[in-house]
Amino acid sequence: MQARQSMLLTQEDIDGNQEHSNWFHNEYETFRQTVMRKDFPCYFGQTGERKGELRYSYISQDDWSTLPETLSDFLNLFNKPKLTRHGLFVFVEPEKEEKSIDYYREYFWEILQYLHRKDGSKWPSDQPKDPEHYLWDFHFKQEPIFVFGNAPAYKQRKTRDLGNSLVLGFQPRRIFKGLEGTEKGGVMSREKVRERVEVWDNLPKHPDISHYGDPSHNEWKQFFIGDDAEPIKGKCPFHVEK
């Protein structure tokens, strides 16, 4: 697949623009209706959608070639003097028939591995390469990014079901400045969100959910949690190749 131009989209780029795939328009509308519900647990996503601060993109099943440049352009937004808490949501063309959690989880990690292979930058020399290290994080252009997966196969953890698409959310670590798990403001904000998540899902907090930097925590497990209350077992599928 030959590289193509970036496809980083704003709300204005989507609304009324018929150049994009019909399935993407449908999935974005479902996403918007979901996150704008009054009882949606994540204040950050809801506020970002309301203010037009979120960014979007989509890829087909057989062509991911726009994604590396899209993510690169998204990260460039943070070079501006004023920090805006942008988030990027990438929609994957839906399957003809809904698949299992394991299928979407494998797909999710394949996309991250693809981004890593297309990344022109080396892995930061001062950052762990082993996902089993508690300070490991995903990097692109040497930028640490929290990535989380959403999929239609989530039946209990409904907060992770944003429509018929596998949806990857990208949040650069820098947007959490002042909201880290070790900061008072961060602890309070996260606890409020997690309480609302428990109500929405009718499940206790997933045991793999914690904050970055927790020595008893593996960050990669939080990227794509299970649809239950059981810890994820096994090794991380992601491998640092450079």
Side-chain angles (χ1 to χ4, degrees):
M1 293 184 292
Q2 293 184 349
R4 292 187 291 158
Q5 63 182 7
S6 165
M7 195 161 61
L8 186 64
L9 306 174
T10 64
Q11 287 179 4
E12 290 74 19
D13 294 328
I14 300 171
D15 294 339
N17 189 332
Q18 300 306 312
E19 293 181 1
H20 304 301
S21 298
N22 288 334
W23 69 259
F24 171 63
H25 280 284
N26 293 336
E27 293 308 314
Y28 169 68
E29 188 57 35
T30 299
F31 168 88
R32 179 172 175 77
Q33 290 177 5
T34 301
V35 301
M36 292 307 293
R37 282 180 51 174
K38 288 184 178 180
D39 57 343
F40 187 71
C42 183
Y43 297 111
F44 306 111
Q46 192 173 81
T47 301
E49 180 69 16
R50 183 183 300 113
K51 290 184 175 181
E53 294 174 349
L54 299 185
R55 295 295 182 267
Y56 321 88
S57 193
Y58 63 94
I59 53 176
S60 66
Q61 293 282 350
D62 58 359
D63 188 355
W64 306 349
S65 60
T66 59
L67 192 51
E69 285 302 317
T70 296
L71 183 53
S72 180
D73 281 359
F74 172 68
L75 294 177
N76 286 338
L77 296 176
F78 298 91
N79 294 332
K80 298 177 181 179
K82 182 182 178 182
L83 175 64
T84 301
R85 301 186 195 276
H86 296 294
L88 170 64
F89 288 86
V90 175
F91 296 76
V92 181
E93 181 183 5
E95 303 290 334
K96 292 181 179 179
E97 294 183 1
E98 185 182 304
K99 305 293 186 179
S100 67
I101 284 284
D102 288 342
Y103 174 89
Y104 290 111
R105 180 183 284 118
E106 183 178 352
Y107 204 147
F108 170 91
W109 285 108
E110 285 178 358
I111 291 173
L112 292 193
Q113 196 71 47
Y114 170 83
L115 280 168
H116 174 58
R117 289 178 181 141
K118 296 295 182 181
D119 188 355
S121 303
K122 292 183 178 180
W123 197 264
S125 59
D126 60 344
Q127 296 299 311
K129 295 182 179 180
D130 183 1
E132 299 308 313
H133 193 290
Y134 74 97
L135 291 177
W136 178 89
D137 211 349
F138 177 72
H139 287 77
F140 187 81
K141 301 295 184 185
Q142 299 200 330
E143 181 85 24
I145 308 171
F146 175 65
V147 192
F148 60 100
N150 310 269
Y154 282 103
K155 303 304 179 187
Q156 298 187 87
R157 296 198 175 277
K158 299 178 180 65
T159 46
R160 295 288 180 126
D161 176 7
L162 298 176
N164 298 307
S165 286
L166 168 64
V167 182
L168 287 77
F170 293 82
Q171 296 177 315
R173 285 286 169 197
R174 66 173 79 184
I175 74 170
F176 300 118
K177 187 176 182 180
L179 299 174
E180 294 91 345
T182 54
E183 298 291 330
K184 183 178 179 180
V187 172
M188 292 178 63
S189 297
R190 288 167 190 246
E191 287 305 312
K192 286 182 180 179
V193 169
R194 287 169 181 171
E195 287 174 6
R196 287 165 60 93
V197 168
E198 289 185 26
V199 171
W200 183 292
D201 291 345
N202 196 28
L203 280 177
K205 183 184 75 171
H206 194 280
D208 289 318
I209 296 291
S210 184
H211 65 269
Y212 180 73
D214 180 351
S216 64
H217 171 64
N218 287 124
E219 186 69 7
W220 71 266
K221 293 181 179 179
Q222 189 166 301
F223 279 28
F224 204 112
I225 60 174
D227 192 28
D228 49 33
E230 298 297 322
I232 292 175
K233 298 178 181 179
K235 295 289 186 179
C236 179
F238 182 86
H239 301 282
V240 174
E241 299 177 357
K242 37 180 133 177

